[in-house]
Amino acid sequence: MAATKVPYGVILLCFFLGTCLLSQCFAIGVDANQTARLFVNASQTRPIPDTLFGIFFEEINHAGAGGLWAELVSNRAFISGFEAGGQNIPSNIDPWSIIGDESSLIVSTDRSSCFERNKIALRMEVLCDSQGSKVCPTGGVGVYNPGFWGMDIKQGKTYKIVFYIRSLGSVNLSLSLTSLELLHSDVSNWTKVESLLEAKETNHNARLQLTTTKKGVIWIDQVSAMPLDTHKGHGFRNELVQMLVDIKPRFLRFPGGCFVEGEWLRNAFRWKESIGPWEERPGHFGDVWMYWTDDGIGYYEFLQLSEDIGALPIWVFNNGISHQDQVDTSSVLPFVQEALDGIEFARGDPNSTWGSVRAAMGHPKPFDLRYVAIGNEDCGKKNYRGNYLKFYEAIKLAYPDIGMISNCDGSSHQLDHPAEFYDFHVYTSASSLFSMAHQFDHTSRDGPKAFVSEYAVTGKDAGTGKPFGSTCRSWVPSWSRKEQVDVVSMASYAPLFVNSNDRRWNPDAIVFNSSHVYGTPSYWVVNFGNNSVKLKISVDGLDPNSIKLSGSTKTVLTSSNLMDENSFKEPNKVVPNRILLENADKDMDVVISPHSFTSFDLLKESNLSRWKKLIHSQDPLFKK
Ligand code: AHR
């Protein structure tokens, strides 16, 4: 392949050849007349690594709690509040609020829960009654939970409500999302209440209420409300998972990011605290992104999600280092054991110690865990190399086939420690990202492969999701040039999700709130250059007449205004548009729109029958 060399304009040209997908991606130049030539040698295509395109999920921006995890109740165990909490009493019950005043109700917390790892329960002392000297107000007194910035309740959908209750006397409690009356004579021991409610109407801003008009003391704990129709019934919010499925990620890196490290080690994500029955998970305060998570989406759920979306899991674990404190290498072995146990949990035989815990949670078959990352962005820290080697050696010994990812950059010099991959993160302006197109050209081919697990254009180029900022996506195709295709194995944009009510980091690929979702241009991929470009494409190395008009397409993602952003109101303002490529041929004159990302998919004769089948079964464009 050769191309004239002047800045601006990029196309992605994809060929479907043979039995596997081969791709050629080119940065091309444009001359003063805005005309460019692109020469493609189709006989020398190189396969893109199977794993190249993936996703990185971090618990940031309420991506999981109040996001991908479909739990509607925020602070279901009464211990967290949004920014504080833990197992102390009195605890912060925010965002729960009290219905009634001090003359009719006293609300507090105590440590009387039946869950050993989660001792706090809500105590409601009801001072009013349905009759007598102090009559309860109409509707009763109690508490309500507004969810994560409003619960989205849809007419006709069914919600499973679970909570635990105890009282010394009989209770008369109303539960309303829609409305349910709960009359129980004997709840002197903790009693699990479970019911299915069908919503009678749609309300994007609903709340869950627990109220009573009966005098007495009631304890409540572990209140959950989940829609029944989660993705594959595994607890993930359907429309958010669909956004992931649609981009066909080959891997899922999780659960962070800085979330894995913690500002302090005591607040880092610990996988053993995130598994087992949800009622027993203590939850933790993510002190980097400053919010509580009940760890409903825990280690098991991340593995399950990977399997559900057809992506390989890549587990990032803490290596004894946080932002502020670190474990000395001489005392890091308990952390190493924790990582080994975590691998056994994922991959072990159902009879193994931790494999049996996984099996008990509903997945006897091992998960396909092939890669783990030893820490996140810790290379510069004092104990990193020492700690890393302890992890690396122990894991290699127990699991020789696992690919391990170092935090140290191996793109410009060889690593001084063994690794199968090295992590590479970049957040910068659009221009400096473009100037990095050759970042991996001279990297040693003998060393570990690059895993670009976090990249994005940030700052004013990007806003909260402008097309200009999305130019970074074209950085990925640049690696599939022949100079780099054998160096960069995996890449993922970051961050993946943002709940619009808690923007901790901009921009992000997918924006949602309780009821709506859209992809920013980075989700879709955009490119830049402010003039249209005439492009002459010449393809060598193909049989004459082998390109077929009937199946070749052109997909363009563009926007007339670089400042355009998608929004809940206009979720499809900047989205890709695919049309039939009418002049598909070995030699083609095409026009590349300004500020666009353009992909040409040429259909080759030999694959026609295979593609016809695919096209007719799946593609609305060809169904017409
Ligand atoms: O993606 C946001 C943050 O950026 C990640 O937590 C961290 O790894 C990086 O610094």
Side-chain angles (χ1 to χ4, degrees):
M1 176 201 65
T4 47
K5 261 263 183 228
V6 201
Y8 301 132
V10 174
I11 65 163
L12 175 74
L13 182 61
C14 298
F15 289 90
F16 299 103
L17 298 171
T19 52
C20 63
L21 174 67
L22 301 173
S23 178
Q24 288 288 331
C25 305
F26 315 93
I28 60 156
V30 183
D31 65 19
N33 301 320
Q34 299 299 322
T35 303
R37 290 194 65 90
L38 176 71
F39 301 99
V40 181
N41 186 343
S43 65
Q44 287 184 8
T45 53
R46 285 167 188 249
I48 284 180
D50 211 30
T51 49
L52 186 61
F53 295 101
I55 51 177
F56 162 46
F57 178 96
E58 172 159 23
E59 183 56 89
I60 180 174
N61 304 321
H62 274 87
L68 191 59
W69 191 241
E71 174 61 73
L72 295 172
V73 176
S74 172
N75 191 10
R76 63 188 175 193
F78 304 103
I79 58 175
S80 68
F82 271 123
E83 296 194 351
Q87 294 287 344
N88 297 320
I89 52 158
S91 63
N92 186 353
I93 66 166
D94 183 75
W96 289 92
S97 295
I98 296 172
I99 303 167
D101 60 25
E102 287 163 17
S103 68
S104 52
L105 177 72
I106 298 171
V107 173
S108 59
T109 53
D110 64 19
R111 296 183 56 80
S112 66
S113 171
C114 55
F115 298 108
E116 279 316 308
R117 296 206 296 174
N118 230 338
K119 284 309 292 179
I120 294 181
L122 186 81
R123 182 180 188 276
M124 296 199 301
E125 185 173 352
V126 182
L127 307 173
C128 59
D129 213 336
S130 54
Q131 53 196 15
S133 57
K134 178 70 188 164
V135 177
C136 290
T138 319
V141 295
V143 288
Y144 74 85
N145 188 289
F148 297 89
W149 302 283
M151 295 182 181
D152 181 41
I153 302 299
K154 294 212 174 68
Q155 185 179 11
K157 262 175 77 163
T158 306
Y159 298 83
K160 182 175 172 184
I161 316 290
V162 178
F163 64 95
Y164 291 76
I165 187 168
R166 183 170 77 93
S167 179
L168 301 179
S170 63
V171 292
N172 171 350
L173 193 73
S174 285
L175 173 84
S176 68
L177 195 52
T178 47
S179 193
L180 173 89
E181 184 102 331
L182 182 82
L183 295 168
H184 264 274
S185 49
D186 180 12
V187 286
S188 53
N189 291 316
W190 277 107
T191 305
K192 181 177 185 180
V193 178
E194 199 171 319
S195 62
L196 295 178
L197 297 185
E198 190 186 312
K200 299 270 181 300
E201 57 190 46
T202 293
N203 182 351
H204 298 319
N205 202 17
R207 64 196 209 179
L208 182 74
Q209 287 190 181
L210 295 162
T211 51
T212 184
T213 53
K214 193 169 187 326
K215 196 169 178 175
V217 180
I218 303 173
W219 285 266
I220 309 275
D221 196 15
Q222 297 296 351
V223 186
S224 165
M226 293 273 269
L228 272 197
D229 68 335
T230 59
H231 192 257
K232 299 199 176 194
H234 290 151
F236 304 106
R237 203 171 128 186
N238 253 324
E239 70 276 30
L240 298 191
V241 179
Q242 198 52 49
M243 294 290 281
L244 305 183
V245 169
D246 288 349
I247 53 176
K248 304 184 179 68
R250 303 310 294 263
F251 66 83
L252 168 65
R253 176 181 183 246
F254 66 86
C258 297
F259 179 72
V260 167
E261 304 170 81
E263 199 57 30
W264 297 94
L265 276 172
R266 64 174 178 273
N267 292 321
F269 175 83
R270 306 301 283 266
W271 77 266
K272 286 184 184 173
E273 305 286 295
S274 77
I275 58 161
W278 59 271
E279 298 97 325
E280 286 283 4
R281 300 185 191 180
H284 79 286
F285 180 62
D287 63 350
V288 176
W289 307 122
M290 299 300 281
Y291 61 92
W292 182 270
T293 158
D294 59 22
D295 289 325
I297 179 164
Y299 183 45
Y300 175 90
E301 285 75 18
F302 284 118
L303 292 165
Q304 183 66 66
L305 177 66
S306 310
E307 185 177 275
D308 288 351
I309 63 174
L312 290 171
I314 300 183
W315 179 35
V316 187
F317 56 71
N318 187 295
N319 57 94
I321 298 177
S322 78
H323 287 182
Q324 303 290 346
D325 52 352
Q326 12 190 328
V327 172
D328 210 72
T329 300
S330 60
S331 40
V332 82
L333 287 185
F335 283 77
V336 174
Q337 190 55 51
E338 192 169 299
L340 288 170
D341 292 346
I343 298 172
E344 185 179 283
F345 176 89
R347 308 187 8 160
D349 183 276
N351 298 317
S352 62
T353 309
W354 287 103
S356 68
V357 179
R358 180 198 69 238
M361 288 183 72
H363 203 287
K365 200 171 146 230
F367 288 107
D368 193 6
L369 180 67
R370 301 184 201 172
Y371 310 106
V372 294
I374 304 176
N376 175 68
E377 292 186 348
D378 292 328
C379 182
K381 313 253 174 71
K382 181 165 87 53
N383 294 337
Y384 185 69
R385 278 178 178 70
N387 288 10
Y388 174 92
L389 286 173
K390 295 283 182 204
F391 282 93
Y392 188 89
E393 283 156 14
I395 294 171
K396 242 326 148 222
L397 196 65
Y399 302 95
D401 63 303
I402 281 206
M404 278 176 274
I405 302 160
S406 162
N407 288 179
C408 300
D409 175 13
S411 65
S412 41
H413 53 266
Q414 288 205 329
L415 295 184
D416 59 4
H417 50 270
E420 282 68 50
F421 303 89
Y422 59 88
D423 212 350
F424 189 93
H425 295 181
V426 56
Y427 296 98
T428 186
S429 66
S431 57
S432 54
L433 197 64
F434 260 87
S435 70
M436 290 173 70
H438 298 276
Q439 180 71 29
F440 300 101
D441 280 9
H442 305 294
T443 302
S444 158
R445 269 54 192 162
D446 306 326
K449 303 281 184 205
F451 176 18
V452 185
S453 71
E454 298 183 29
Y455 69 91
V457 168
T458 50
K460 66 177 171 26
D461 292 345
T464 56
K466 298 186 197 318
F468 193 63
S470 318
T471 53
C472 69
R473 285 295 223 177
S474 61
W475 196 45
V476 176
S478 79
W479 302 324
S480 36
R481 289 181 301 113
K482 67 179 183 341
E483 295 88 347
Q484 307 197 6
V485 72
D486 50 349
V487 186
V488 181
S489 276
M490 300 184 266
S492 40
Y493 180 87
L496 182 61
F497 281 119
V498 62
N499 184 320
S500 61
N501 294 291
D502 187 32
R503 284 186 176 276
R504 303 272 158 171
W505 186 288
N506 291 311
D508 307 270
I510 301 169
V511 184
F512 65 88
N513 60 20
S514 309
S515 49
H516 291 78
V517 59
Y518 66 86
T520 63
S522 281
Y523 174 82
W524 297 111
V525 184
V526 178
N527 224 328
F528 80 109
N530 54 9
N531 292 305
S532 50
V533 173
K534 289 178 225 139
L535 180 67
K536 288 179 176 300
I537 301 177
S538 309
V539 184
D540 265 354
L542 288 176
D543 297 338
N545 302 322
S546 62
I547 294 176
K548 285 290 150 196
L549 289 178
S550 52
S552 298
T553 61
K554 172 178 160 181
T555 306
V556 183
L557 180 64
T558 188
S559 167
S560 54
N561 184 345
L562 277 185
M563 294 300 125
D564 277 350
E565 294 194 16
N566 291 339
S567 61
F568 294 129
K569 215 166 143 206
E570 292 179 286
N572 297 326
K573 201 170 185 177
V574 190
V575 293
N577 181 25
R578 191 157 61 114
I579 54 170
L580 291 171
L581 185 59
E582 283 171 0
N583 61 340
D585 210 338
K586 273 167 72 272
D587 296 294
M588 290 182 285
D589 285 335
V590 295
V591 176
I592 310 289
S593 313
H595 317 313
S596 74
F597 186 92
T598 305
S599 158
F600 296 97
D601 297 327
L602 303 184
L603 182 66
K604 202 184 159 233
E605 165 84 311
S606 56
N607 294 321
L608 195 54
S609 50
R610 183 166 69 90
W611 279 93
K612 264 187 180 156
K613 235 196 237 159
L614 194 70
I615 284 160
H616 289 298
S617 63
Q618 296 182 347
D619 197 329
L621 190 63
F622 299 103
K623 275 184 184 160
K624 289 177 197 159

